[in-house]
């Protein structure tokens, strides 16, 4: 049994013409993550010693993404970018990567546009390849509608020699649809575009591939026919769930794949103890993490690197992007981005938490309140119609309805600091930079431009005039 090292190659140089987009195909997002990100996450969990990523068309986009998030996806792996200047076919793409493949290595080749393939399936492909001792193993699938895909032409049963007594159905060759006759087009077993090859054999076979076909391309699939003709074994591992093999070529296919993926994510989290009301309306992106006993209400979308802790209730009608939501917090009808919501906080309905907000435990942010780059202390409240930006608010502070921190002078942003137990009366303007001391009180309607000491009352408003009998004088 071959137990050599395994290198993975991801083919991601193609243009993706049918996406009709300035975004290169593998960078289109599915559940908040580029297609290639899904593929790399899957590969990261498998025993590869090295991953090569073949880029070409739109390579700055792919390289930019890998530079930014490559490490988290490929925590334990060495990976390398291989450039395919001109896209002359899948065989040509692999040729460019050959120098990166160590001698004696097994190579798994996957496409960057097949985001639904699972670690389980790829792991099975690898173990089938190893145990059969084949020169190549193709991941195949049965499809009712195989249009557009390469067809698997099976060969004779081969009985393995020596100490292995398995008979294996071999693959004679793979024929692209454009090169197929009617008989071959009738075959429903297709090439998923994922393979294991013995690297040295692959190297030797690729040297013989010629672009004499309908598309004038170097087909990787021709390697299979060549190996069979050279009396080497090419076998297939037929996967159970053909949908997993789906490749993305246009926005219709992307939408189908995305829906399938969201459904899978929902089922995963429900099995992990998350309660969902009307699950079909709930979207949970790929990198979101949830704890048991979280409840999600309809029309909730959790995005980015979000973590929701146990007992939290999120939604309905809420979008949360890259936030930490603490135990037992409640967020309803709201939008939150890059914020931390502490344990037991109440947010919403109709609140907006922008980047850089930290709500300490049991804080309340109510309806029509926007906060940005602000810390709200333990048990502090801003319940109605308020804007708080660039502020540090202490514990047990009450921010009255209509309070505004005037943080922007047209050029610079300034900070507002509010001490513990302070009381900000309704409709106050706090013109930053300004500080309000602990236990200080701001009278309703005041425009505060000077610091207020601890324990003081600041009132800034004209004295009220009352003119009696005004109506009759008029
Ligand atoms: C390929 C297979 C086909 C299989 C199908 C499954 C060949 C000749 N055919 O066809 O048998 O059924 O996948 O989806 O391999 N790529 C490059 N450089 C290139 C060309 C392609 O990196 O020069 C990459 C693409 O970005 C893509 C992958 O290779 O990720 C597959 O290429 P694509 O053009 O989609 O191949 P298909 O025609 O779909
Ligand atoms: Ca394809």
């Amino acid at each position: 049994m071959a137990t050599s090292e395994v290198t993975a190659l991801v083919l991601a140089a193609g243009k993706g013409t049918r996406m009709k987009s300035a975004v290169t195909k593998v960078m289109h997002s599915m559940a908040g993550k580029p297609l290639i990100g899904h593929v790399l996450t899957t590969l990261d969990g498998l025993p590869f010693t090295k991953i090569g990523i073949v880029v070409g068309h739109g390579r700055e986009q792919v390289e930019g993404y890998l530079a930014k998030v490559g490490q988290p996806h490929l925590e334990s792996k060495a990976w390398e970018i291989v450039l395919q200047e001109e896209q002359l076919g899948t065989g040509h793409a692999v040729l460019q990567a050959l120098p990166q493949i160590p001698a004696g290595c097994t190579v798994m080749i996957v496409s960057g546009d097949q985001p639904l393939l699972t670690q389980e399936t790829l792991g099975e492909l690898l173990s089938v390849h190893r145990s059969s001792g084949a020169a190549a193993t193709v991941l195949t699938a049965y499809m009712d509608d195989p249009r557009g895909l390469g067809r698997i032409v099976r060969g004779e049963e081969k009985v393995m020699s020596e100490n292995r007594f398995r008979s294996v159905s071999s693959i004679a060759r793979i024929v692209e649809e454009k090169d197929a006759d009617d008989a071959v087009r009738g075959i429903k077993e297709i090439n998923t575009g994922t393979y294991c090859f013995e690297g040295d054999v692959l190297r030797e076979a690729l040297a013989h591939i010629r672009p004499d076909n309908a598309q004038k391309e170097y087909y990787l699939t021709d390697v299979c026919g060549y190996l069979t003709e050279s009396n080497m074994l090419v076998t297939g591992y037929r996967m159970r769930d053909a949908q997993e093999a789906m490749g993305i070529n246009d926005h219709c296919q992307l939408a189908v794949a995305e829906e399938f993926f969201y459904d899978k994510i929902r089922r995963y989290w429900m099995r992990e103890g998350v309660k969902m009301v009307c699950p079909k309306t709930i979207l949970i992106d790929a990198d979101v993490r949830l704890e048991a006993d979280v409840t999600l209400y309809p029309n909730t979308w959790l995005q980015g690197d979000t973590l929701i802790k146990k007992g939290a209730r999120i939604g309905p009608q809420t979008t949360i992007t890259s936030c930490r939501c603490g135990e037992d917090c409640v967020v309803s009808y709201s939008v939150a981005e890059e914020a931390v919501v502490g344990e037991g906080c109440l947010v919403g309905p109709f609140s907006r938490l922008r980047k850089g907000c930290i709500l300490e435990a049991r804080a309340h942010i109510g309806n029509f309140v926007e906060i940005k780059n602000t810390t709200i202390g333990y048990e502090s409240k801003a319940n109605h119609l308020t804007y708080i930006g660039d502020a540090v608010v202490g514990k047990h502070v009450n921010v009255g309805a209509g309070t505004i921190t005037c943080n922007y002078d047209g050029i610079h942003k300034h900070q507002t600091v509010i001490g513990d137990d302070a009381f900000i009366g309704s409709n106050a303007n706090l013109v930053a930079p300004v500080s309000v001391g602990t236990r200080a009180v701001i009278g309703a309607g005041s425009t505060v431009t000077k610091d207020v000491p601890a324990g003081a009352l600041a009132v800034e408003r004209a004295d009220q005039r009352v003119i009696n009998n005004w109506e009759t004088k008029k």
Side-chain angles (χ1 to χ4, degrees):
M1 185 185 294
T3 50
S4 57
E5 294 197 338
V6 195
T7 296
L9 272 190
V10 183
L11 305 188
K15 184 162 184 218
T17 315
R18 282 174 282 167
M19 297 303 293
K20 299 192 175 154
S21 170
V23 177
T24 197
K25 181 160 76 174
V26 295
M27 285 303 295
H28 280 268
S29 132
M30 182 181 91
K33 183 159 157 171
L35 301 180
I36 187 143
H38 287 278
V39 172
L40 295 178
T41 304
T42 304
L43 295 183
D44 196 34
L46 289 160
F48 301 117
T49 40
K50 197 170 167 185
I51 297 178
I53 303 159
V54 182
V55 298
H57 191 274
R59 71 171 202 262
E60 334 68 48
Q61 296 173 30
V62 181
E63 283 173 351
Y65 171 71
L66 289 173
K68 203 167 77 182
V69 298
Q71 251 6 82
H73 286 322
L74 298 167
E75 278 161 2
S76 51
K77 301 284 189 288
W79 53 276
E80 224 166 315
I81 293 205
V82 175
L83 179 60
Q84 185 193 21
E85 298 258 16
E86 254 188 302
Q87 285 75 59
L88 303 179
T90 46
H92 182 257
V94 175
L95 258 176
Q96 312 311 302
L98 282 182
Q100 319 298 331
I101 299 171
C105 201
T106 299
V107 187
M108 183 183 283
I109 297 175
V110 301
S111 293
D113 64 354
Q114 287 173 307
L116 298 178
L117 281 173
T118 61
Q119 253 168 43
E120 197 186 8
T121 300
L122 297 186
E124 282 162 8
L125 173 67
L126 185 59
S127 64
V128 167
H129 177 74
R130 284 178 156 165
S131 63
S132 71
T137 307
V138 182
L139 184 67
T140 76
Y142 267 123
M143 291 211 177
D144 287 333
D145 179 6
R147 267 178 299 172
L149 295 164
R151 307 295 207 282
I152 303 289
V153 179
R154 287 280 177 174
E156 76 251 39
E157 295 275 308
K158 288 205 174 165
V159 179
M160 295 303 293
S161 53
E162 289 142 38
N163 46 5
R164 264 168 278 146
F165 299 100
R166 289 184 54 187
S167 78
V168 202
S169 165
S170 67
I171 289 176
R173 59 185 192 283
I174 299 175
V175 183
E176 293 307 297
E177 167 138 320
K178 287 183 178 141
D179 305 301
D181 58 23
D182 286 347
V184 168
R185 280 186 196 190
I187 296 173
K188 295 197 171 205
E189 189 181 13
I190 58 94
N191 169 27
T192 64
T194 303
Y195 325 76
C196 283
F197 289 99
E198 282 316 297
D200 299 339
V201 168
L202 175 65
R203 198 182 306 271
E204 128 81 18
L206 275 174
H208 291 87
I209 302 309
R210 297 285 168 261
D212 43 12
N213 50 56
Q215 303 185 80
K216 304 276 177 274
E217 285 183 2
Y218 293 87
Y219 288 168
L220 176 59
T221 44
D222 283 352
V223 164
C224 297
Y226 174 84
L227 294 176
T228 302
E229 281 162 27
S230 313
N231 273 321
M232 282 187 259
L233 175 65
V234 178
T235 185
Y237 170 61
R238 194 184 337 122
M239 57 193 290
R240 283 180 293 268
D241 184 357
Q243 182 142 26
E244 243 190 49
M246 182 177 176
I248 309 300
N249 297 300
D250 62 25
H251 274 290
C252 292
Q253 290 172 331
L254 177 54
V256 170
E258 192 165 49
E259 211 168 305
F260 175 89
F261 191 69
Y262 274 132
D263 196 50
K264 191 170 150 180
I265 294 180
R266 283 189 292 261
R267 279 183 284 117
Y268 173 82
W269 287 118
M270 286 189 272
R271 285 193 207 100
E272 292 293 306
V274 173
K275 153 88 179 163
M276 295 186 202
V277 179
C278 202
K280 279 213 165 349
T281 69
I282 296 170
L283 302 177
I284 303 164
D285 282 358
D287 293 332
V288 170
R289 287 160 299 149
L290 305 172
E291 291 187 354
D293 286 323
V294 163
T295 302
L296 302 178
Y297 294 102
N299 295 316
T300 292
W301 192 349
L302 306 179
Q303 307 178 325
D305 168 33
T306 290
L307 169 66
I308 315 258
K309 309 273 280 180
K310 66 176 185 226
R313 286 179 283 150
I314 311 292
Q317 219 80 34
T318 293
T319 301
I320 293 185
T321 308
S322 298
C323 292
R324 299 276 168 283
C325 294
E327 285 181 21
D328 301 314
C329 72
V330 175
V331 183
S332 66
Y333 298 95
S334 292
V335 176
E337 185 185 349
E338 292 182 47
V340 176
V341 176
E343 189 183 324
C345 285
L346 296 183
V347 177
F350 313 112
S351 307
R352 180 172 180 208
L353 312 184
R354 288 166 57 196
K355 201 170 168 170
C357 289
I358 298 173
L359 309 188
E360 289 174 0
R362 300 168 59 85
H364 292 188
I365 299 297
N367 40 276
F368 310 109
V369 174
E370 172 182 348
I371 66 171
K372 185 213 81 176
N373 188 33
T374 285
T375 299
I376 304 281
Y378 177 76
E379 286 192 340
S380 287
K381 294 174 183 165
N383 271 330
H384 336 267
L385 303 154
T386 284
Y387 172 66
I388 309 177
D390 303 307
V392 178
V393 177
K395 292 179 223 158
H396 302 119
V397 171
N398 190 80
V399 178
T403 297
I404 307 285
T405 57
C406 309
N407 59 328
Y408 187 43
D409 60 14
I411 302 165
H412 297 109
K413 303 283 171 74
H414 301 282
Q415 197 183 41
T416 301
V417 177
I418 302 175
D420 295 348
D421 300 294
F423 183 93
I424 314 296
S426 295
N427 228 28
N429 301 311
L430 306 172
V431 182
V434 74
S435 72
V436 176
T438 54
R439 297 179 318 284
V441 174
I442 306 297
S446 299
T447 295
V448 177
T449 52
K450 293 180 213 136
D451 289 352
V452 180
L457 165 67
V459 194
E460 187 281 335
R461 60 190 177 222
D463 281 342
Q464 181 173 325
R465 289 169 70 200
V466 177
I467 301 164
N468 289 319
N469 301 320
W470 175 254
E471 210 179 5
T472 49
K473 279 180 192 152
K474 235 182 4 180

